[in-house]
Structure formats: C-alpha cells, structure tokens
Amino acid sequence: MDSEANQRWIKYYSSAHNILLVGEGDFSFSRCLGMAFGSATNIVATSLDSYDVLLNKYKSAKDNLVSLGNLGASLLHGVDATKMMTHPQLQYKKFHRIIYNFPHAGFQKREDHPVMLMMHRELVRGFLLNASSMLDFDGEIHVRHKTTALFDRWKIEDLGSDCSLVCIAQDEFRIEDYPGYNNKRGSSSRADEPFPLGASKTYRFRLCPVAVNSLIMRKLHLMPQMCTSAPAGVQQQVPMAPFTPQVFSTHPLVVQPQPPFMNVHDECLRIFGRYLKHVEETFGDTSYDVWHSVVDALWCGYEMYMSNAAPGTGTPPSSGFISILEELHRLSSSRYERLRQSLFRHDLR
C-alpha cells in the first residue's frame, strides 16, 4: 500500500486501494488505472471471456494485458461476476473498490424485450450480491450504466437495496476522465465496436452497516465458538424483529475509542445497545428475516469487540465475547417478556 503522501489518484481510485475490476472488455479501463498509478500491483482485473476468446474478440486486448502484466496487475479470465466470490483466487480477498463498467447480458433479444430486462437485472443483482461479500467495510462498489430510456428500467439503485447496499451517489460519467478507456459492445460480431454512451452514471454503493447479510454468512466460519452454539441458540431464544437499514447511518460502522473494559453488562450495552434499542422500536414487526438480523448484530458486535483490545494486550479472548452474548441473551429475554406484556395489555384495551 502507498503511504498517504505517495498516493496517486484518478477520479475515485487511489494507488492505495485494492481494486477489483469485473467484466472487463479489452482491459483498457484497467490499463487506464494502472497507467495513472504508475503501478497496477493493487489491481485485480477479470474478464468473463477466456484468454483465447479475449484475444480473438478485441484487437487491443493483447497489448493492454501485456501492459498490465508489466505494471504488476493480477489478471484472471473466465470469471463469472455472479459467482466470483467462490473463485479460488478471489474468495479470501477484500477490496476497497469493486468496479463493473456497463454490465450487459448480451443481445439475445431486443433491448426492450421483458426477458432481456430480466436477464440484465439478474446479472447486476448477482454481481452486487457477490461484490457485497468481497467488499472491505469502508469500500465502495461502482456500477456504470446508461440512464437513457429503456436502460433506466434496470433500476440499479433498487437492485443495490435488494443486496443490502445503499447508493451513496449517482455521478455523471464522463469517459474523458479515464484516458485510454474504450467502451466495447462485448458481444456479437460487433464486439470490438464501441456503443453509444449517451447519458450515463456511476452508481456508488456502500454496505449498509447492519444489513450485510451475504457478508455475515460468509464470515461466520471465522467465529468458531459462536458458530457452534450462539447463532442457533439466539435464533430460538431471541424472538425479536430485525434491523431496518433506513434507521441507521448509511456509512459503514466506524469503531470509536472506548473506555477500558469494566464489566460484562456495560460492555454488552456498549456493543449491542443500538440493537436493543431498535428491537424495542420495531417489536412485533414481521416484515423482515429475524435470523439474518440477529446474525448481522452478532457479527457487527464481534467486529467491535475484537477491535477494542488495549495496546499491547493482543487479541481479546473469544471467551469474553461469549460472556457478552450470554448477557445479551439475558437482557433480550427480559426485554422480550416486558414488551410482550405491553402488547398484551394493549390488546386488552
């Protein structure tokens, strides 16, 4: 990683970011970033096409790939954007920026055909689901997309919401900002030709702080003690309504310095107080998935607990977090009973 003083930027992208590019055409966008940084060691660039197909399809692909290789980029081919989180060379990586320029499901039917609209939307949805599990907590997912008639029906922002992402900006896209980038049709006999851009935007997404279900489910295996007992128990013993992303800030969780650990009760309230407060506010709401909401809270709480070790003390013991979970269960059970009685009294009126 570059130090802050040595960082080089092009638009939203820095030489200090770990960057994943998905669905690259002739790899000219990846090359543009690498040239701007003077190095591409922070870049992983992927294509759906195999290497041989790529060279046959795009006349500039070989030169771009050679240039990226010389700059130190990692280049992967045959990568499906809707399955990439399981790719053996990607599944354990995290990125600050994940970019998909002008996703398109092909030209099987007319652009205005309902089947094509469904295919386009499913492609973007699949990408966003995968990307959300590969994103660093303070990272961004960028989708570039045309916003003229027909293309506006893809409803990119709504697809992000479906994937536990929040759209933080919709910025006008100007190809002039990326010297050397050549957009390509990518399919049919005209694959190497550019398509008319017209009005286009960069949709910038970040993770919702407590609704990162796909990320949570992939990370649970890192919490062995919790996996063996806590989640299933909480699911059965904490019958509470889940989080709604709109309640909280749209920025990722930022852990602030906290006072030294005092006791289990205080630490539980510090870590899970916001969750308990939200549970009270939404008690009885059945429109969300309770299991996923509890897992969200557990993972965010675990991240906060593990990040607050005192300097020089090393990693906090997992047993301490289990004690906090036991206190959370006790508090949740008592609050549940109180809220249930409150609803019961309300129904008698």
Side-chain angles (χ1 to χ4, degrees):
M1 283 289 188
D2 289 353
S3 67
E4 187 171 347
N6 296 327
Q7 285 183 39
R8 299 176 68 175
W9 286 82
I10 176 170
K11 200 62 177 178
Y12 314 103
Y13 311 113
S14 161
S15 55
H17 290 149
N18 290 324
I19 299 173
L20 172 65
L21 295 113
V22 175
E24 282 287 84
D26 67 353
F27 283 75
S28 58
F29 191 88
S30 301
R31 184 177 184 272
C32 165
L33 297 187
M35 295 296 289
F37 300 151
S39 169
T41 56
N42 61 319
I43 292 174
V44 178
T46 74
S47 66
L48 177 61
D49 295 319
S50 67
Y51 177 77
D52 291 337
V53 169
L54 198 72
L55 297 192
N56 288 327
K57 187 181 286 188
Y58 305 109
K59 63 179 182 294
S60 299
K62 185 173 183 179
D63 288 343
N64 291 335
L65 291 171
V66 169
S67 180
L68 282 164
N70 291 336
L71 288 167
S74 298
L75 305 171
L76 300 174
H77 306 292
V79 178
D80 186 337
T82 66
K83 301 175 182 177
M84 62 185 180
M85 69 180 181
T86 61
H87 190 283
Q89 291 177 264
L90 294 174
Q91 61 181 338
Y92 299 118
K93 294 183 180 293
K94 295 296 172 188
F95 298 93
H96 301 107
R97 298 289 184 270
I98 302 178
I99 307 163
Y100 199 166
N101 292 320
F102 302 100
H104 198 276
F107 298 94
Q108 291 89 336
K109 297 181 182 294
R110 288 172 54 93
E111 202 68 66
D112 60 353
H113 196 285
V115 171
M116 281 309 307
L117 175 61
M118 180 187 69
M119 290 175 65
H120 291 321
R121 284 174 54 83
E122 287 307 304
L123 169 62
V124 176
R125 190 196 314 276
F127 160 70
L128 291 174
L129 280 171
N130 278 255
S132 65
S133 74
M134 303 167 70
L135 192 65
D136 194 85
F137 273 105
D138 62 351
E140 296 181 10
I141 298 170
H142 294 178
V143 177
R144 293 196 168 86
H145 180 58
K146 298 168 68 171
T147 55
T148 50
L150 296 182
F151 295 98
D152 60 350
R153 292 164 55 190
W154 292 27
K155 299 188 182 302
I156 299 294
E157 188 175 2
D158 291 348
L159 293 175
S161 297
D162 292 347
C163 301
S164 299
L165 298 166
V166 60
C167 187
I168 61 170
Q170 299 180 29
D171 300 331
E172 178 187 2
F173 172 72
R174 300 187 333 120
I175 197 169
E176 299 82 20
D177 293 334
Y178 302 96
Y181 169 47
N182 299 298
N183 62 298
K184 301 293 183 180
R185 290 174 62 85
S187 184
S188 79
S189 59
R190 300 167 58 195
D192 201 25
E193 296 180 12
F195 56 86
L197 287 172
S200 302
K201 290 182 179 179
T202 298
Y203 291 82
R204 297 164 54 199
F205 295 97
R206 300 190 83 166
L207 293 168
C208 291
V210 291
V212 289
N213 297 340
S214 58
L215 177 63
I216 304 305
M217 298 307 293
R218 277 180 50 75
K219 281 191 171 183
L220 272 177
H221 71 281
L222 300 177
M223 302 151 59
Q225 294 191 54
M226 293 176 63
C227 286
T228 56
S229 57
V234 172
Q235 182 186 19
Q236 296 171 359
Q237 299 170 4
V238 188
M240 299 182 296
F243 293 105
T244 40
Q246 294 83 355
V247 173
F248 303 107
S249 164
T250 58
H251 294 285
L253 178 66
V254 177
V255 178
Q256 301 295 335
Q258 297 291 340
F261 180 81
M262 298 298 295
N263 58 55
V264 171
H265 178 76
D266 290 344
E267 191 72 345
C268 181
L269 290 179
R270 180 181 71 80
I271 292 176
F272 291 109
R274 183 171 62 172
Y275 173 68
L276 291 168
K277 181 176 183 294
H278 182 68
V279 165
E280 291 200 3
E281 293 173 347
T282 61
F283 184 76
D285 189 340
T286 60
S287 59
Y288 299 98
D289 184 338
V290 173
W291 161 237
H292 280 152
S293 70
V294 172
V295 173
D296 291 346
L298 293 176
W299 178 252
C300 290
Y302 185 75
E303 288 274 89
M304 184 179 290
Y305 172 78
M306 295 299 289
S307 69
N308 277 276
T313 62
T315 303
S318 296
S319 58
F321 189 65
I322 298 301
S323 297
I324 292 170
L325 288 180
E326 292 171 349
E327 177 64 7
L328 174 64
H329 174 235
R330 189 190 68 78
L331 288 172
S332 299
S333 297
S334 62
R335 292 186 183 211
Y336 165 68
E337 184 58 26
R338 176 167 53 80
L339 290 168
R340 190 183 68 81
Q341 291 295 333
S342 178
L343 283 179
F344 178 74
R345 289 192 298 270
H346 179 77
D347 289 341
L348 291 179
R349 293 176 185 172

